[in-house]
Amino acid sequence: MWLKFLIFAGLGYMVYKALAGPGPEKNRPRMDRQDVRQIDDVMVQDPVCKVYFPKREGVAAKVDGQLMYFCSEECMKKYLNQK
Ligand SMILES: [Zn+2]
């Protein structure tokens, strides 16, 4: 269980890094602002508590080969325990 958690934490960090992008926000071209916002602020629904939250602030977990997002580690664990 602890090893599983480490894998999920690492996965979440990788997703966060990928979404955060290479540079600071202010260096991004102004024309792309809308696209950047869509990527940064895309809202996803937690399958456990049905709350909507920004993807990059959620916890990512790979379930059956599919990347799922949860509002918190508690919800992630609940979801995994349900399965
Ligand atoms: Zn939740």
Side-chain angles (χ1 to χ4, degrees):
M1 200 57 200
W2 176 239
L3 184 68
K4 238 181 180 178
F5 170 72
L6 277 181
I7 291 167
F8 289 135
L11 206 74
Y13 180 69
M14 265 159 40
V15 167
Y16 171 75
K17 289 288 276 185
L19 290 175
E25 196 124 355
K26 61 181 178 182
N27 286 347
R28 283 172 180 161
R30 244 188 136 62
M31 269 171 65
D32 291 334
R33 202 183 49 172
Q34 193 113 27
D35 293 337
V36 168
R37 279 195 69 79
Q38 274 176 2
I39 293 165
D40 281 356
D41 296 338
V42 63
M43 299 297 277
V44 289
Q45 191 181 22
D46 185 304
V48 179
C49 66
K50 309 299 181 195
V51 151
Y52 283 91
F53 57 92
K55 205 175 192 176
R56 63 170 178 174
E57 284 174 21
V59 180
K62 209 161 195 177
V63 182
D64 294 335
Q66 208 193 346
L67 206 51
M68 312 261 320
Y69 293 91
F70 303 90
C71 72
S72 64
E73 282 167 16
E74 269 115 284
C75 281
M76 181 189 79
K77 283 174 193 161
K78 258 187 222 168
Y79 183 83
L80 293 174
N81 287 336
Q82 276 172 16
K83 284 182 65 66

